[in-house]
Amino acid sequence: MKLAASLNRLGTESAFSVLAEAKKLEAAGNPMIHLGLGQPDFKTPKHVVEAAKKALDDGHHGYVLSNGILECRQAVTRWIKKRYNTEVDAERIIIMPGGKPTMHYAIQCFGEPGAEIIHPTPAFPIYEFMINYTGSTAVPYDLTEDKDLRFSADKILSLITDKTRLLILINPNNPTGSFVEKSEIDKLAEGLKKHPHVTILSDEIYSRQIFDGKEMPTLFNYPELRDRLIVLEGWSKAYSMTGWRLGWSFWPEQLVEHINKLLINSVSCVNAAAQFAGIAALDGPDDSINQMMEKFIQRRKLIHEGLNSLPGVECSLPGGAFYAFPKVIGTGMDGSEFCKRAMHEAGVAIVPGTAFGKTSKDYVRFSFAASQDNISNALENIKKMLG
Ligand code: PMP
């Protein structure tokens, strides 16, 4: 077989490899605590599941519009109005099979040899892989330790050149759990006014998981950027719907027809019943989100204090999402060795920092989307492992 060279430029998500290895060890009788995958450990709210069942009973079995059923897109616009007090046109909302396809399609719209795409590191790895896949140049900006792994507007603005086509922002960030507040985003938005050739892709998938009562600094706040703004959002994290494969995104008017074409040429449309579930989630009560957040607040405290009490481990306080990203090099091990020993000796599945970028080899990612008992036991086991 003669395969396309571009295939070799695609990487994979290590959290899934960690899961596969952990499951193998489990099957061989070794107990395992899973703090690897980034998905809430709660059930999808009942009223959301009921809406999908009803949609199937009502006969929503067929193809629907490629950009999503109108009712679902309108539910998204109502949600945007309710949360961010701004009106958007439902024609600029596209329902996607998960959050990921938005990054895939957005990068496909801009990526080609000669084009530069600015992205954070460490970050959700798919961004860098997709940039490389298209043959464009990945221009990383570091989430630096001196800023508690938050990004800096000045640093990002300094990387923009004539060749920059797309700027990727992820806030709150995976894997660092870092959260950048509105004042810094204001500064960035102001600077971006001087670079009208740059489109912004703002990954806001963790917008409902922000701690300390802080406001989500959505890019919807800047109407002057809206004709070159893509917002990636979805149901996966907020409503514990990772397996439903349902997401939505907002697009510049000019891109809508291209994204529709990409959808028609790949998936046709998103599962109709899932879209009805999505409407119920957005229009329904926020009780499940509030209950989930109460748990995440307790877990964040537990894991943050627990990690910092381990010899040689330093962890900044996550401001959003459900990840802790400690530096473990003080234990005498880099992130990869730490993870290997955690899995084999402590029975704890976590992900090495290098899964999210070359610069984070001294780090590991703990997902705290797990019960307090599991988090406490994992910390106890790792403490024993460190002797
Ligand atoms: N963006 C970020 C930052 C993520 O962490 C993830 C999932 N881990 C996604 C997007 C993709 O979400 P989905 O599972 O809905 O495709």
Side-chain angles (χ1 to χ4, degrees):
M1 260 182 246
K2 177 127 178 79
L3 300 178
S6 53
L7 282 178
N8 294 326
R9 298 200 295 267
L10 268 185
T12 184
E13 209 183 322
S14 304
F16 286 102
S17 328
V18 168
L19 178 70
E21 196 181 340
K23 288 273 175 208
K24 217 190 276 172
L25 284 168
E26 246 178 345
N30 303 289
M32 192 63 62
I33 301 172
H34 293 274
L35 305 183
L37 270 191
Q39 64 177 346
D41 54 319
F42 305 101
K43 283 192 171 162
T44 302
K46 202 166 181 329
H47 68 281
V48 177
V49 177
E50 289 305 324
K53 288 188 192 163
K54 181 171 183 314
L56 289 172
D57 285 340
D58 290 349
H60 293 285
H61 302 156
Y63 293 126
V64 291
L65 290 179
S66 59
N67 56 341
I69 56 177
L70 182 61
E71 293 89 329
C72 190
R73 286 182 284 121
Q74 285 172 336
V76 172
T77 63
R78 279 195 294 279
W79 182 89
I80 294 171
K81 171 78 182 152
K82 188 167 67 181
R83 286 202 52 81
Y84 303 137
N85 195 26
T86 190
E87 307 270 355
V88 302
D89 182 353
E91 290 309 308
R92 288 177 65 180
I93 300 294
I94 300 190
I95 308 300
M96 291 280 177
K100 257 182 196 174
T102 293
M103 54 185 89
H104 202 100
Y105 295 143
I107 293 169
Q108 262 180 11
C109 286
F110 294 97
E112 63 185 349
E116 293 179 0
I117 300 185
I118 302 178
H119 69 98
T121 187
F124 192 51
I126 308 304
Y127 285 105
E128 195 177 344
F129 299 152
M130 275 307 300
I131 298 170
N132 293 338
Y133 184 68
T134 61
S136 46
T137 306
V139 180
Y141 59 92
D142 284 339
L143 306 181
T144 51
E145 265 167 46
D146 57 336
K147 293 202 90 197
D148 263 350
L149 301 168
R150 288 191 290 267
F151 62 72
S152 130
D154 288 338
K155 172 79 192 170
I156 292 175
L157 293 167
S158 74
L159 296 172
I160 296 177
T161 70
D162 292 350
K163 294 185 188 144
T164 308
R165 294 200 187 165
L166 185 65
L167 162 65
I168 293 161
L169 303 171
I170 311 175
N171 194 28
N173 186 44
N174 171 13
T176 56
S178 49
F179 169 66
V180 177
E181 293 192 30
K182 188 168 177 298
S183 52
E184 193 71 13
I185 310 278
D186 285 346
K187 201 167 155 190
L188 179 65
E190 189 55 35
L192 285 170
K193 281 194 207 165
K194 295 192 201 97
H195 304 285
H197 64 295
V198 178
T199 298
I200 305 123
L201 165 53
S202 180
D203 182 335
E204 304 187 358
I205 201 140
Y206 295 103
S207 69
R208 303 304 308 264
Q209 275 118 10
I210 294 172
F211 296 103
D212 307 317
K214 300 224 169 109
E215 178 195 346
M216 171 65 198
T218 175
L219 268 282
F220 281 121
N221 284 336
Y222 309 93
E224 66 280 14
L225 297 179
R226 220 174 263 179
D227 60 358
R228 52 187 168 114
L229 174 65
I230 304 167
V231 175
L232 180 158
E233 260 277 12
W235 285 262
S236 294
K237 315 288 174 174
Y239 300 96
S240 219
M241 291 175 73
T242 50
W244 292 68
R245 307 315 299 136
L246 186 66
W248 64 264
S249 33
F250 172 80
W251 295 86
E253 210 172 332
Q254 206 186 330
L255 286 185
V256 168
E257 68 165 290
H258 297 291
I259 302 308
N260 253 321
K261 266 192 290 178
L262 285 167
L263 279 162
I264 288 168
N265 279 279
S266 51
V267 293
S268 293
C269 63
V270 175
N271 174 326
Q275 295 193 49
F276 281 95
I279 299 170
L282 295 181
D283 284 345
D286 270 352
D287 306 5
S288 62
I289 292 186
N290 298 337
Q291 283 158 14
M292 219 190 288
M293 225 22 221
E294 270 172 38
K295 294 265 189 237
F296 281 140
I297 290 167
Q298 293 161 4
R299 294 164 178 188
R300 175 180 76 145
K301 185 170 187 296
L302 179 67
I303 199 153
H304 177 247
E305 288 177 0
L307 287 169
N308 279 311
S309 74
L310 296 175
V313 177
E314 288 168 59
C315 186
S316 54
L317 184 67
F322 34 73
Y323 306 109
F325 199 60
K327 190 174 185 179
V328 296
I329 196 73
T331 62
M333 290 179 269
D334 67 8
S336 299
E337 193 185 346
F338 190 97
C339 287
K340 204 182 280 171
R341 284 192 54 198
M343 182 173 307
H344 291 272
E345 295 174 34
V348 180
I350 48 176
V351 186
T354 45
F356 308 97
K358 287 191 263 310
T359 53
S360 40
K361 66 175 181 26
D362 297 346
Y363 290 82
V364 298
R365 187 190 78 174
F366 285 75
S367 159
F368 54 88
S371 71
Q372 293 206 56
D373 278 353
N374 276 345
I375 295 171
S376 299
N377 292 335
L379 289 165
E380 199 49 46
N381 293 358
I382 291 179
K383 192 173 175 181
K384 280 189 205 133
M385 170 188 104
L386 294 174

